[in-house]
Amino acid sequence: MIPSIKNICCIGAGYVGGPTMSVFADRCPNIEVNVVDVNKERISLWNSSNLNDLPIYEPGLKEIISRCKGRNLNFSTDVKKYIQLADMIFISVNTPTKKKGIGAGQASDLKWVEACARQVAEFAKGYTIVVEKSTLPVKTAEVIKKILDSTQTSPDKKFDKSFDVLSNPEFLSEGSAINDLENPDRVLIGGENENAISALSNIYKNWIPANKILHTNIWSSELAKLTANAFLAQRISSINSISALCEATGADVREVARAIGTDSRIGSKFLDSGPGFGGSCFKKDILNLVYLSKYFGLPEVASFWEGVVKLNNWHQHRISELIVKKLFGTTSGKKICIFGFAFKANTNDTRESAAIKICKDLLEEGSILFIHDPKVDPKQIEKDLGIKQSVLNGEISNVEHLSKYEGNWFFTNKIIPATYEADALCFLTEWEEYSELDWNLISQKMRKPAWVFDSRSIVSAKEVKKAGLNLWRIGDSSY
């Protein structure tokens, strides 16, 4: 018999859990959706009356929250209460790369997943479907199932417990997560119990055609997520390697990408050269794949995927080294404006952002950075760089005695004033507002000879050159 799901609990109110459960609540008004997290500050932000204070920025998210919160969508720190109420529980917690011990630097640290499984085992009542939503290594479901099966009866012996475990990986692209949830390419559900699979499928069928809902065994589902991210990251590293070759040979990477993208066997997606892949998943998942390959005795497979990460790291350092080279071999005491700190546009997520490595390299060289991003909080930048931002007395354009700030950075909300006396501008995130700048005005403010480094092909090359500025554009040697 297919269980009827009336109450959902999601453990984890982060970049996956928050948006995913918001769409569930929006599309399934007859289901109570409760998102729980031990992070009190995060839950407080989700519950803020000011929707601009949400902990996550995603286009379309706050509109959904405004419709559903208080109706059938709830955010809470009371983990026990909502586990007890749930017919279905999603585990959507962080799975960072291990920093020490066996597999350090490659394997996923599953301590939070294990902690969730133990909470579910302790607090759940009756029959409960447990769904892996976090990106997890193959065979993690086996660990969860063993923990759950170890508690088949409540401590007070008043009721029996039983569980089924499903894998339902997310395939979200930050910046378009709401659209990805509402109009997915596919929904993947892996499991062993057909009734449990059908129960989750029936939820998705409220807005997704049945032919887009794929059923597999649980191990295939877990591995499919890692493989999808690895393939996407591989394409990014591949086109970025070609961008370096284009700069050396006189080709234009945009033209090369257009030429190969029209090949139906290749396709045009993920062929935009940039400063390298970032985000919470790509690097972590590839390293996890590397670890699993070594664990199962496949060193050649491990070496292949490890090369994707190495190329990405090399490419990011290549950009910072190129900036130093173009600025006469040193950036010590020179003012450089960094435009964009999020790992991509339309998100405030900075995890593994290329901007972090590039900024750290430039700060190490003694650069004075003025960092702008329309959505990233300066406190997050402080955390990522490990250096507190400096504060200027007076207006942002007051650059007297700026040399004493070598190796430091400032946050700025204003683009044009920040360019005053700047030696270089570096575009690292493809925010749309960066494509509509007054280059004649900017040129008047910068210290000559001034450079514009465009790692996203976001600015108008023609207007930059016409304004009398030097330009480096990724994958292009013609400027």
Side-chain angles (χ1 to χ4, degrees):
M1 182 177 177
I2 300 174
S4 177
I5 306 302
K6 298 297 183 182
N7 197 300
I8 288 175
C9 174
C10 176
I11 307 175
Y15 280 89
V16 175
T20 301
M21 291 301 111
S22 297
V23 171
F24 271 40
D26 195 34
R27 298 289 182 153
C28 308
N30 294 324
I31 297 178
E32 289 292 321
V33 179
N34 300 295
V35 184
V36 297
D37 201 300
V38 295
N39 188 323
K40 294 180 180 179
E41 181 181 0
R42 180 181 295 166
I43 292 298
S44 178
L45 291 172
W46 280 113
N47 284 324
S48 173
S49 58
N50 184 352
L51 294 178
N52 291 322
D53 291 338
L54 294 178
I56 294 168
Y57 173 75
E58 278 289 337
L61 176 59
K62 67 180 182 180
E63 289 80 7
I64 292 177
I65 295 291
S66 68
R67 289 196 296 268
C68 300
K69 195 169 65 173
R71 183 191 72 187
N72 66 324
L73 177 63
N74 176 55
F75 295 91
S76 175
T77 57
D78 195 339
V79 178
K80 176 180 177 179
K81 174 182 176 180
Y82 290 108
I83 286 178
Q84 290 177 331
L85 292 174
D87 307 307
M88 180 177 285
I89 297 172
F90 288 80
I91 296 178
S92 186
V93 293
N94 193 21
T95 54
T97 301
K98 288 182 70 175
K99 294 183 178 180
K100 57 184 178 180
I102 298 173
Q106 294 180 340
S108 290
D109 188 342
L110 300 179
K111 63 181 179 182
W112 302 118
V113 173
E114 182 177 334
C116 288
R118 294 187 184 280
Q119 286 179 311
V120 173
E122 181 179 1
F123 301 132
K125 295 183 177 181
Y127 173 70
T128 308
I129 299 172
V130 179
V131 184
E132 298 176 333
K133 202 65 181 172
S134 303
T135 302
L136 301 169
V138 182
K139 296 293 184 179
T140 302
E142 191 173 306
V143 175
I144 294 174
K145 192 74 166 68
K146 286 180 179 178
I147 293 173
L148 296 175
D149 287 346
S150 68
T151 312
Q152 293 295 317
T153 305
S154 64
D156 56 11
K157 308 296 183 182
K158 288 185 178 180
F159 52 82
D160 292 327
K161 303 182 181 185
S162 61
F163 304 94
D164 275 305
V165 179
L166 302 178
S167 170
N168 176 219
E170 51 85 15
F171 296 100
L172 306 180
S173 177
E174 288 186 42
S176 62
I178 300 302
N179 183 62
D180 294 339
L181 287 162
E182 293 180 332
N183 304 287
D185 292 331
R186 78 294 200 194
V187 169
L188 183 58
I189 303 173
E192 298 173 347
N193 184 305
E194 286 298 327
N195 287 334
I197 292 173
S198 295
L200 182 53
S201 294
N202 287 341
I203 294 174
Y204 280 111
K205 286 177 182 177
N206 281 283
W207 76 97
I208 295 171
N211 62 355
K212 283 191 173 185
I213 302 174
L214 310 181
H215 297 176
T216 69
N217 71 45
I218 201 163
W219 321 125
S220 296
S221 178
E222 289 179 331
L223 185 57
K225 170 59 178 178
L226 294 180
T227 305
N229 281 345
F231 270 57
L232 293 175
Q234 180 195 31
R235 281 177 72 95
I236 294 172
S237 281
S238 295
I239 197 63
N240 283 338
S241 72
I242 299 303
S243 73
L245 190 59
C246 286
E247 292 168 29
T249 60
D252 186 329
V253 72
R254 282 151 292 276
E255 294 179 351
V256 173
R258 186 170 74 250
I260 66 174
T262 56
D263 189 324
S264 60
R265 298 168 299 175
I266 298 173
S268 60
K269 292 185 178 180
F270 278 74
L271 288 182
D272 292 326
S273 188
F277 58 76
S280 62
C281 290
F282 281 1
K283 181 180 178 180
K284 174 176 69 72
D285 290 353
I286 295 176
L287 291 175
N288 197 349
L289 203 58
V290 170
Y291 176 74
L292 288 170
S293 298
K294 290 179 179 178
Y295 179 83
F296 288 108
L298 301 168
E300 292 81 6
V301 176
S303 179
F304 174 81
W305 289 110
E306 200 166 19
V308 174
V309 176
K310 288 181 177 179
L311 193 286
N312 193 60
N313 292 336
W314 168 82
H315 179 64
Q316 291 171 354
H317 288 303
R318 178 179 86 90
I319 292 176
S320 53
E321 289 173 3
L322 187 145
I323 293 171
V324 174
K325 181 179 179 181
K326 295 291 187 183
L327 295 181
F328 307 115
T330 180
T331 60
S332 180
K334 294 178 179 177
K335 179 181 176 181
I336 300 175
C337 294
I338 303 295
F339 291 125
F341 200 83
F343 86 92
K344 64 183 293 189
N346 294 320
T347 179
N348 61 347
D349 194 355
T350 65
R351 287 176 293 179
E352 296 295 338
S353 173
I356 298 173
K357 290 182 181 177
I358 293 171
C359 286
K360 282 184 174 181
D361 285 348
L362 293 174
L363 290 170
E364 184 70 22
E365 290 283 337
S367 308
I368 303 163
L369 303 184
F370 279 64
I371 302 176
H372 174 276
D373 191 285
K375 294 297 179 183
V376 176
D377 191 306
K379 291 181 180 179
Q380 183 61 49
I381 300 177
E382 286 184 346
K383 182 178 179 181
D384 290 331
L385 297 181
I387 302 173
K388 286 190 174 295
Q389 69 165 314
S390 298
V391 179
L392 283 175
N393 293 323
E395 295 296 322
I396 198 77
S397 58
N398 179 10
V399 292
E400 292 181 8
H401 310 301
L402 199 59
S403 60
K404 68 180 180 181
Y405 294 104
E406 287 185 11
N408 288 280
W409 67 277
F410 303 84
F411 185 81
T412 176
N413 288 313
K414 300 176 181 179
I415 297 176
I416 301 298
T419 65
Y420 179 72
E421 288 293 297
D423 295 278
L425 315 180
C426 186
F427 292 85
L428 299 181
T429 310
E430 69 281 22
W431 290 104
E432 186 176 353
E433 62 195 271
Y434 298 153
S435 66
E436 302 170 346
L437 300 178
D438 185 337
W439 285 104
N440 286 324
L441 179 58
I442 290 174
S443 180
Q444 293 170 20
K445 290 182 174 293
M446 295 182 71
R447 187 170 74 160
K448 307 298 190 299
W451 276 89
V452 174
F453 297 94
D454 184 9
S455 73
R456 292 287 190 172
S457 302
I458 187 68
V459 305
S460 169
K462 182 179 179 180
E463 290 182 17
V464 170
K465 294 299 293 182
K466 186 178 178 181
L469 298 171
N470 296 302
L471 173 66
W472 171 84
R473 188 167 67 151
I474 195 163
D476 190 350
S477 63
S478 63
Y479 295 101

